[in-house]
Amino acid sequence: MKSQQAGDGAALMPNMCVSNADVRQSTWYKSAFRGSLFAESLMDDSQFLWVNTRRSTFAGLNMDGSRLVGCSMRDVVMEDCDLQGLTINGVKVDDLIASREGAQ
């Protein structure tokens, strides 16, 4: 895998390692990142519109204060996640979990 430093003028292509990139306020339109790894990346205040992340894994993801609107989350599995304050269609998930645990 060829290592690429941001800003050295080379074009992006498959199987590259891009590190230390600062692409603030940029637009990625009709871009394919299939099989890519995003590690220790900041995407604060970003928008993801009409993005397909089928069969993707999000580990160590911090989504505090984020908003999901009009998303398909069929067959999504959440394991060992902090759901404090998570609200789905106006229903607080931690309240549902607490009521279910109380019923057992």
Side-chain angles (χ1 to χ4, degrees), residues 4-48:
Q4 183 70 38
Q5 292 293 318
D8 71 0
L12 297 174
M13 62 177 92
N15 296 319
M16 291 181 67
C17 175
V18 178
S19 62
N20 301 315
D22 187 348
V23 289
R24 299 168 204 240
Q25 298 177 335
S26 296
T27 299
W28 296 88
Y29 180 70
K30 291 189 177 181
S31 300
F33 294 99
R34 291 179 190 98
S36 294
L37 170 69
F38 294 89
E40 296 187 33
S41 298
L42 297 175
M43 297 184 183
D44 296 349
D45 303 313
S46 294
Q47 294 184 53
F48 297 88

Side-chain angles (χ1 to χ4, degrees), residues 47-66:
Q47 294 184 53
F48 297 88
L49 307 170
W50 308 290
V51 174
N52 178 349
T53 60
R54 262 185 298 230
R55 296 177 306 276
S56 295
T57 299
F58 298 90
L61 184 66
N62 180 339
M63 294 183 69
D64 294 352
S66 295

